[in-house]
Amino acid sequence: MADINFIASVVVALAVVFVAYKYFNGGPDVQSSKAGNSTPFGNSKADEDGDSRDFVALMEKNNKNVIVFYGSQTGTAEDLASKLAKELSSKYGLRTMTADPENFDFEKLDTFPESHLAVFLMASYGDGEPTDNAQDLYSFLGNSPSFSQDGETLENLNFAVFGLGNVLYEFYNKAGKDMHKYLTDLGGHSIGPYGEGDDSKGMLEEDYMAWKDEFLAALVAKWGLTEREAVYEPSISVKEIEEDAHSHDVYLGEPNLKHLQASKAQEIPKGPYNASNPMLAKITAARELFTNTDRHCIHMEFDTTGARYTTGDHLAFWFQNNEEEVQRFVKALGIANPQQPIAISVLDKTSTVRIPSPTTYETIIRHFLEINGPVSRQVLSSIAPFAPSEEVKKATQQLGSNKELFASHVAAKKFNIARLLLHLSGGQPWKNVPFSFVIETIPHLQPRYYSISSSSVQSPNTVSITAVVERQTLTGVDHELRGVATNQILALSEALVGHPSMTYRLQQPHDFTNSLSSQDIRVPVHIRHSLFKLPGKPTVPIIMVGPGTGVAPFRGFVHERASQKAAGKEVGKAMLFTGSRHANEDFLYRDEWKQFSDFLDLETAFSRDSSKKVYVQHKLKERAKDVFALLNEGAVFYVCGDAGGMSHDVHSALLEIVAQEGNLSSEDADKFVRKMRSRNKYQEDVW
Ligand code: FAD
């Protein structure tokens, strides 16, 4: 699920959360498989300030009257929270801050002043669960907090809620709905209607903007606010400093101090490894899995000695931007000396800067900013005042304020920010854009997650991933669309044999352990533990459904069962439903599966090998009797891959199979499948 998901302002009380190498995404913050939350650098101010878990006291101390909480997994909700806080401040002079609910206690929510406002931007994950950083808040509110004896206890609370979700998931936007219900039931007053956004069709931002307009209108009416011309006032300071750009005191892409110090000592950074301290894993092998020349799928292996994983976990890959795009961004902003060392500090006490400092302009662009994704309408509106001429400013403002014009002239052309700025200005650099604005406005890079396709029993110190390289050529778009992380993975695989076709800085920032020509190529990664797991007993049968790269974790499952069998253990029956477009071109691990034919029942679906498109759900239905028989033997049913059509179609096919083979009504089949889920017999890892 992709996030997450930009505004001129007056000096502001905004919790600027800059997460270098942040986590999660590939998209949004919304209703996807779970991934770890991301706070690699330092704690929020709130954590540093003594008894700072009391946000009401923190607001009073820092003279704030609006707090924007975010339940964020991949950064989308967090990013929207920052932008909303900026807008409320710049347009209406409100004294705003953003807050991670994980950093606060909510026992004193009933003391929240009536003159204040609390906004909640809450993403849902998986089965409608709140994000990791909002779990405690939900359990507190959901367990009838006893602020007082008499029911309605938040009568002073003015609040607004917007949920971020994905309609393709069964419990769409449950976290947003629940938050609105909890606060309303406890007597709070909603300013404007509850709103929610659907990420399934890439329209989350438009849903958010439509809700925001209604919320702002209600707030303006209730508080009698007057809108003023928004003036950008930074929450952070960016200063050029006198320092040697190659000094080992300047961060050139290291995610934290441990990494910087290790580079000084010419060492590999030590563990423990986690989301705040990724390991520099050596790439030990890589190979192409497709035989077709225009598409790529890379099997890549990493030496992860020192980090523990179990089969079914995810590998988080902390990637960087392609040099071509880094240089385009430098040109678009007219940065004269991109390697100039700079120091970053906060101007607002409630803010936190997570980009390590001192660093350089280029480092931030290369390692910290999502410069390659689609541009949001909010970013465009907020950058307009810095246009190189009045004419360009007008055109930019028009695009930012007109949904239809933006859709046809920006979104449809698939510009990234640098391409768009250069297009709008006819190639003139946007020299007036302050770099603090860039850091505060452009979303921050999120690591990409990959299902681990190896077995921890078979290879405890080597993790493999199976990544399809994202490249698209679209009619009406004058450039090839390239996914950032997967194209770096391709470049890394090519660099292993000495022929990288793209320009990525694959050597370590301070160039100490390896170089492009060396075999010792390392990248920052960490393991994210998942709940997608083989049954504890190897005898329990399993049914795995994973077309395309959805087969990745099942390769690990099958290898694990094979090594258990080789060790003399009895293993249960295993059915694998996988597929691709063509049997001879993109059937992943085609030659490997044969060696497991003694326990693996493999069914393949190739969608483009015949006039009739055949998908995994068709194969499932063809094998209805066997599938149902295995379910009755206690099999666990797994689905991995596309969260869109595939997982829905597989779910519908399973309902049909259960109804038909079990002779059940559709209601009873639904109950049967729900029971499977509640007993962990139906597990999904979809994205
Ligand atoms: P991104 O840079 O995120 O781009 C995404 C898409 O946007 C691409 O199609 C790209 O062409 C398009 N795009 C680029 N620029 C623009 C623009 N300016 N305007 C509009 N569109 C644009 N993937 C796998 O291959 N294998 C796995 O095993 C796997 N497991 C996963 C497990 C989990 C839990 C999750 C959450 C995801 C998993 N993914 C997996 C998906 C993976 O994390 C990435 O999302 C995927 O590899 C694409 O990353 P990217 O950085 O290459 O693409």
Side-chain angles (χ1 to χ4, degrees):
M1 284 204 216
D3 170 324
I4 346 204
N5 298 324
F6 320 11
I7 301 275
S9 86
V10 200
V11 171
V12 173
L14 160 71
V16 186
V17 182
F18 304 137
V19 181
Y21 287 123
K22 263 186 0 179
Y23 308 64
F24 228 33
N25 195 123
D29 210 3
V30 289
Q31 237 153 331
S32 70
S33 301
K34 284 206 170 195
N37 217 3
S38 51
T39 48
F41 302 109
N43 296 315
S44 70
K45 271 274 173 251
D47 269 350
E48 293 162 12
D49 261 358
D51 177 24
S52 53
R53 294 193 61 83
D54 177 351
F55 63 89
V56 180
L58 187 74
M59 287 178 79
E60 291 311 312
K61 193 171 159 189
N62 291 285
N63 192 28
K64 307 293 182 189
N65 59 357
V66 178
I67 187 161
V68 187
F69 289 103
Y70 51 85
S72 192
Q73 198 80 29
T74 66
T76 308
E78 184 178 347
D79 183 52
L80 287 182
S82 288
K83 289 175 173 68
L84 181 61
K86 272 272 190 207
E87 184 172 358
L88 290 173
S89 162
S90 65
K91 277 193 183 161
Y92 303 103
L94 297 172
R95 305 180 307 277
T96 62
M97 63 179 284
T98 61
D100 179 343
E102 193 167 44
N103 292 331
F104 299 100
D105 295 327
F106 287 82
E107 277 81 7
K108 293 189 186 154
L109 190 57
D110 59 331
T111 66
F112 195 80
E114 200 173 354
S115 55
H116 289 19
L117 169 70
V119 185
F120 296 82
L121 305 184
M122 310 311 287
S124 296
Y125 266 80
D127 289 338
E129 296 149 47
T131 55
D132 290 348
N133 73 325
Q135 298 273 355
D136 290 350
L137 167 61
Y138 277 80
S139 12
F140 175 72
L141 291 177
N143 286 318
S144 312
S146 51
F147 296 113
S148 74
Q149 303 301 323
D150 51 1
E152 295 197 349
T153 55
L154 297 182
E155 59 265 10
N156 284 338
L157 180 75
N158 288 309
F159 72 90
V161 179
F162 179 79
L164 296 85
N166 185 318
V167 78
L168 295 171
Y169 286 76
E170 190 178 356
F171 299 97
Y172 173 56
N173 256 317
K174 183 168 184 303
K177 290 183 176 94
D178 282 353
M179 179 56 65
H180 189 260
K181 183 169 185 319
Y182 292 153
L183 299 177
T184 310
D185 288 355
L186 287 163
H189 305 283
S190 179
I191 308 284
Y194 160 68
E196 58 190 23
D198 172 19
D199 190 47
S200 68
K201 294 196 183 69
M203 295 300 286
L204 181 79
E205 194 196 11
E206 290 301 340
D207 292 342
Y208 164 76
M209 294 197 29
W211 166 79
K212 192 188 67 178
D213 287 349
E214 281 190 83
F215 153 66
L216 287 180
L219 184 65
V220 164
K222 185 170 170 91
W223 282 6
L225 302 173
T226 317
E227 186 174 336
R228 59 193 195 190
E229 193 182 341
V231 180
Y232 172 66
E233 289 201 26
S235 306
I236 56 163
S237 136
V238 176
K239 284 207 178 89
E240 298 195 349
I241 53 167
E242 293 218 358
E243 181 75 72
D244 172 6
H246 300 289
S247 140
H248 273 278
D249 293 324
V250 177
Y251 287 89
L252 295 182
E254 292 84 2
N256 60 25
L257 188 60
K258 222 172 185 174
H259 279 245
L260 189 68
Q261 287 168 338
S263 82
K264 220 179 207 171
Q266 301 278 297
E267 285 171 355
I268 302 295
K270 295 196 170 57
Y273 303 116
N274 49 42
S276 1
N277 185 40
M279 79 183 304
L280 275 182
K282 181 178 163 182
I283 299 174
T284 51
R287 65 177 201 271
E288 274 273 8
L289 295 174
F290 286 174
T291 49
N292 142 330
T293 48
D294 0 306
R295 292 171 65 223
H296 303 271
C297 184
I298 311 292
H299 170 92
M300 183 165 274
E301 295 180 7
F302 303 82
D303 178 351
T304 52
T305 307
R308 271 194 65 235
Y309 81 100
T310 52
T311 312
D313 284 345
H314 302 136
L315 185 80
F317 174 52
W318 297 31
F319 61 100
Q320 59 181 255
N321 287 308
N322 179 319
E323 280 310 289
E324 209 184 314
E325 293 306 329
V326 171
Q327 295 318 320
R328 196 190 314 278
F329 192 89
V330 165
K331 183 179 165 197
L333 261 68
I335 300 171
N337 182 7
Q339 281 153 28
Q340 166 68 45
I342 51 176
I344 304 163
S345 55
V346 290
L347 297 171
D348 183 306
K349 280 186 103 183
T350 61
S351 303
T352 302
V353 180
R354 294 191 194 138
I355 290 180
S357 171
T359 180
T360 68
Y361 293 115
E362 205 174 65
T363 302
I364 295 178
I365 300 165
R366 182 180 296 122
H367 294 275
F368 292 75
L369 302 180
E370 189 83 62
I371 59 171
N372 209 40
V375 183
S376 88
R377 201 146 67 82
Q378 293 198 79
V379 168
L380 203 54
S381 297
S382 62
I383 208 166
F386 306 110
S389 69
E390 274 305 309
E391 197 189 339
V392 177
K393 179 176 163 181
K394 260 195 191 154
T396 310
Q397 275 167 338
Q398 204 189 354
L399 284 174
S401 59
N402 186 319
K403 192 175 155 183
E404 286 74 34
L405 214 56
F406 179 84
S408 58
H409 286 68
V410 180
K413 306 261 183 225
K414 311 286 177 194
F415 288 117
N416 61 25
I417 184 76
R419 280 186 193 272
L420 179 59
L421 295 184
L422 290 168
H423 170 78
L424 290 172
S425 68
Q428 272 190 81
W430 289 55
K431 287 186 178 168
N432 304 328
V433 181
F435 205 73
S436 56
F437 173 92
V438 169
I439 296 176
E440 291 182 78
T441 308
I442 308 286
H444 288 216
L445 279 184
Q446 310 287 333
R448 305 299 195 248
Y449 287 82
Y450 295 92
S451 299
I452 292 178
S453 55
S454 51
S455 151
S456 56
V457 167
Q458 192 185 54
S459 53
N461 296 320
T462 301
V463 155
S464 73
I465 61 166
T466 311
V468 71
V469 179
E470 295 279 348
R471 286 188 176 188
Q472 296 175 60
T473 313
L474 301 176
T475 334
V477 178
D478 64 2
H479 55 277
E480 189 182 43
L481 282 183
R482 290 182 173 187
V484 195
T486 48
N487 281 280
Q488 188 187 348
I489 289 171
L490 176 62
L492 286 162
S493 72
E494 294 170 336
L496 263 192
V497 289
H499 306 295
S501 65
M502 284 165 291
T503 48
Y504 279 91
R505 282 188 47 129
L506 303 180
Q507 66 273 41
Q508 290 310 309
H510 276 100
D511 206 6
F512 67 101
T513 49
N514 57 46
S515 70
L516 268 183
S517 56
S518 145
Q519 291 294 299
D520 191 9
I521 295 181
R522 291 175 183 269
V523 287
V525 300
H526 74 267
I527 306 284
R528 192 187 79 82
H529 299 292
S530 99
L531 301 172
F532 197 71
K533 289 284 170 267
L534 272 167
K537 284 188 190 161
T539 47
V540 174
I542 53 177
I543 302 169
M544 302 164 281
V545 186
T549 48
V551 81
F554 302 138
R555 178 179 181 269
F557 283 16
V558 170
H559 276 261
E560 183 138 330
R561 287 258 159 127
S563 51
Q564 286 165 332
K565 198 162 187 288
K569 290 187 183 156
E570 191 190 331
V571 299
K573 285 182 200 158
M575 288 184 96
L576 172 61
F577 294 85
T578 186
S580 64
R581 295 180 186 172
H582 302 285
N584 291 327
E585 268 184 30
D586 53 358
F587 175 16
L588 303 181
Y589 302 110
R590 186 177 64 171
D591 299 328
E592 266 188 32
W593 303 118
K594 293 171 197 155
Q595 55 182 303
F596 309 115
S597 56
D598 52 339
F599 70 91
L600 180 68
D601 184 351
L602 177 71
E603 274 295 345
T604 49
F606 301 107
S607 60
R608 301 195 189 170
D609 273 352
S610 64
S611 55
K612 193 177 157 233
K613 292 199 177 221
V614 183
Y615 295 112
V616 282
Q617 60 271 22
H618 301 130
K619 290 287 172 181
L620 264 175
K621 287 197 249 178
E622 274 176 34
R623 297 288 305 273
K625 283 201 184 329
D626 300 323
V627 168
F628 193 66
L630 270 198
L631 292 181
N632 279 330
E633 285 175 36
V636 184
F637 188 85
Y638 300 90
V639 186
C640 181
D642 173 30
M646 187 277 292
S647 65
H648 265 242
D649 294 344
V650 167
H651 180 251
S652 308
L654 184 64
L655 285 172
E656 269 185 52
I657 291 169
V658 168
Q660 178 190 307
E661 299 303 319
N663 218 359
L664 298 176
S665 66
S666 53
E667 287 81 27
D668 287 341
D670 189 53
K671 270 190 205 153
F672 184 101
V673 172
R674 281 179 191 277
K675 203 162 156 191
M676 282 174 65
R677 277 195 203 268
S678 67
R679 293 181 170 180
N680 227 10
K681 292 271 180 186
Y682 185 157
Q683 299 186 24
E684 282 183 317
D685 192 9
V686 294
W687 62 82

